[in-house]
Amino acid sequence: MILGIGTDLCNIDRIAAVLERHGDRFRNRVFTPTELARARRRPHEAATLAKRWAAKEACSKALGTGLAMGIAWRDMAVSNLASGQPGMALTGWAAERLAAMTPPGHRARIHVTLTDDHPWAQAFVVIEALAENGPHPSGGA
């Protein structure tokens, strides 16, 4: 069953300007060390971070809270499987919210898709509840 759906559209040039203006202060407030390491390996750091920004916004919407209800940016971390498929790991208040919205006897799985076409980065997040006794698909959260 679907527990939540979220989407966000982010302007890459806006993220690039914030990076130039605030540098590591912005990077470290919003992104995890793993997210930053991935972005630094990419030729277009701003595009990579803009996709992750959009994913965090989309995830907060899928959780039904937005960012105004206590979720910290770094409570939502975008990672990638070896195949490149993105995923989302939650900690802190975001993980607590996910646990509260997951029905008994189920486990949550977070699906993430990211795309960019300059100047836009976009993310969709779907949170799914799977029955505990059901199959365990690969890449589960």
Side-chain angles (χ1 to χ4, degrees), residues 31-42:
F31 303 102
T32 66
T34 302
E35 291 171 317
L36 292 172
R38 183 172 186 84
R40 287 188 174 114
R41 290 191 306 267
R42 299 292 184 120

Side-chain angles (χ1 to χ4, degrees), residues 37-56:
R38 183 172 186 84
R40 287 188 174 114
R41 290 191 306 267
R42 299 292 184 120
H44 302 289
E45 178 189 27
T48 299
L49 293 179
K51 286 186 283 190
R52 276 142 182 78
W53 172 283
K56 291 168 188 260

Side-chain angles (χ1 to χ4, degrees), residues 6-28:
T7 185
D8 192 66
L9 184 66
C10 179
N11 186 287
I12 296 167
D13 293 334
R14 182 176 140 244
I15 295 297
V18 172
L19 288 168
E20 186 155 324
R21 197 168 43 254
H22 298 287
D24 286 341
R25 183 172 157 220
F26 170 72
R27 284 179 184 91
N28 296 326

Side-chain angles (χ1 to χ4, degrees), residues 2 22 24 28 32-33 37 49 52 55 65 68 73 79 86 96 103 105 119 122 125 130:
I2 302 299
H22 298 287
D24 286 341
N28 296 326
T32 66
L49 293 179
R52 276 142 182 78
T65 64
W73 286 102
S79 60
E96 292 172 19
Q122 186 173 31
V125 171
L130 301 167

